[in-house]
Amino acid sequence: MYGRVTLLPSEPPRFFNRGPSPIARLTFFGVISLVLMFIDARFRTLETVRMTIATVVYPVQQAALLPAQAAKSVVELFDTRNELREDNARLKMQLLQASQAQQAQLASKLEADRLAKLLDIVQTSTVRAQAAQVVYLGRDPFSQKAFIHRNMTQPLEPGSAVVDELGLLGQLTRVHPLFAEITLITEKDFAVPVKIERTAMHALLYGRGAGKLPELRSVASNADVKEGDVLLTSSIDGVYPGNIRVARIASVQRTAESAFAVIACAPTAAVSGSDMVLVLDKPVALTPRPAPDVATEATAKKRR
């Protein structure tokens, strides 16, 4: 059923077995190699051949290295780019932190300066002063108000003057258990009796509402009033202690048609920027001398 399988001989035919055997050839070339190595080591006869071959093969070696160098350059490029991004992000974060620290330090310094000035006011004031923190400003654009925090045991009284480190801020108008309301001097028609520091001339300063400077009213056109004059509280109303800075005259306009000058004044206090204020007690009013009794006076005259 099955055909016979003929196995081919593993050895080549005798026709191809010409020349020396492989062992003989290996021995011959081995001896030649040893001889060349000895001659080269002894007399350096193949140095020129070696240099020539190295010079010819060098460009081929460099060309073979180009793909690996290109891949390495690409990897280094991406690594460098990522490192630059990380360094840039880290430097930005450090700059932001330094900026925040600088701003916090500046804010702390300004706060310390304001508190120091408030402390000077307390030490030089002849009336009792209570410190309070401004919680927020009034949200009504037609009403110039501010609200301060109040402790339950803090004795605040409506009508008290409120100042910051720069000057008069306003007047305490309402007192609640947890907060109190301040009417600012910029409130429309809010009046403060003042005097000019340079001339001691008395006048009334009226607020004109949001976005407008207060003004001195009923001041004659020929009055000695100049831009830059400082206005102080005159204390003639018994509400504000005397000699507190209120405003500085910003402009004076005189016209022939009017007998009164138009005088705009810029408040010295930070009307919309104060965060710590002092609430001053009302000045102690002098007790009027009681009227003499008529009968007692007549009896005294008879005795004389």
Side-chain angles (χ1 to χ4, degrees):
M1 295 179 60
Y2 301 97
R4 296 180 63 182
V5 177
T6 303
L7 297 177
L8 296 176
S10 58
E11 295 292 334
R14 293 184 177 275
F15 178 78
F16 296 99
N17 291 341
R18 296 181 178 180
S21 64
I23 296 177
R25 284 180 287 182
L26 176 62
T27 304
F28 173 76
F29 286 113
V31 172
I32 294 298
S33 300
L34 291 175
V35 171
L36 291 176
M37 291 174 59
F38 175 78
I39 295 174
D40 182 58
R42 183 72 176 176
F43 304 103
R44 294 189 175 273
T45 57
L46 298 179
E47 187 70 23
T48 305
V49 177
R50 187 183 298 108
M51 293 179 60
T52 304
I53 295 174
T55 305
V56 173
V57 174
Y58 179 77
V60 179
Q61 293 176 343
Q62 295 299 317
L65 292 176
L66 284 178
Q69 292 178 352
K72 184 178 179 181
S73 300
V74 171
V75 173
E76 291 179 352
L77 176 63
F78 282 103
D79 291 342
T80 305
R81 187 175 181 182
N82 292 333
E83 290 178 0
L84 289 176
R85 285 181 176 178
E86 293 176 357
D87 292 342
N88 192 16
R90 185 174 64 256
L91 291 176
K92 284 184 178 179
M93 182 61 66
Q94 293 177 356
L95 180 61
L96 180 60
Q97 292 175 352
S99 177
Q100 291 177 348
Q102 183 181 9
Q103 292 177 3
Q105 183 180 4
L106 180 60
S108 299
K109 184 178 182 301
L110 294 176
E111 182 69 17
D113 293 341
R114 288 196 294 267
L115 292 177
K117 291 179 181 179
L118 286 176
L119 182 61
D120 292 339
I121 293 176
V122 173
Q123 292 176 348
T124 58
S125 177
T126 57
V127 297
R128 191 181 66 168
Q130 303 178 69
Q133 182 180 6
V134 177
V135 181
Y136 60 91
L137 299 177
R139 297 179 177 85
D140 186 358
F142 301 102
S143 179
Q144 298 294 291
K145 305 286 185 181
F147 297 87
I148 60 175
H149 175 72
R150 175 180 181 262
N151 295 326
M152 295 288 292
T153 58
Q154 195 172 12
L156 298 181
E157 183 181 355
S160 302
V162 181
V163 300
D164 64 2
E165 71 276 8
L166 300 176
L168 182 66
L169 195 66
Q171 184 181 16
L172 208 63
T173 51
R174 292 181 183 177
V175 178
H176 301 277
L178 298 179
F179 66 93
E181 179 183 302
I182 303 172
T183 300
L184 303 176
I185 61 175
T186 53
E187 173 75 8
K188 187 175 182 180
D189 296 329
F190 184 82
V192 180
V194 296
K195 64 180 179 181
I196 299 177
E197 184 179 28
R198 181 175 57 86
T199 62
M201 186 186 77
H202 289 259
L204 283 175
L205 180 71
Y206 287 88
R208 299 175 58 201
K212 298 180 181 179
L213 294 178
E215 64 178 3
L216 286 180
R217 296 180 183 175
S218 302
V219 177
S221 296
N222 57 356
D224 186 8
V225 179
K226 298 180 180 179
E227 294 183 7
D229 282 344
V230 177
L231 305 180
L232 308 176
T233 54
S234 61
S235 73
I236 61 175
D237 57 350
V239 176
Y240 304 101
N243 299 322
I244 298 176
R245 284 180 170 246
V246 181
R248 187 182 300 273
I249 295 179
S251 64
V252 180
Q253 298 179 3
R254 297 180 174 90
T255 59
E257 293 80 8
S258 176
F260 300 103
V262 179
I263 304 173
C265 304
T268 56
V271 177
S272 60
S274 295
D275 51 2
M276 292 294 296
V277 298
L278 291 177
V279 180
L280 306 180
D281 287 353
K282 292 182 180 179
V284 179
L286 296 177
T287 304
R289 185 177 181 181
D293 189 358
V294 178
T296 305
E297 188 175 357
T299 303
K301 287 182 179 180
K302 288 179 180 180
R303 288 180 182 179
R304 293 174 185 174

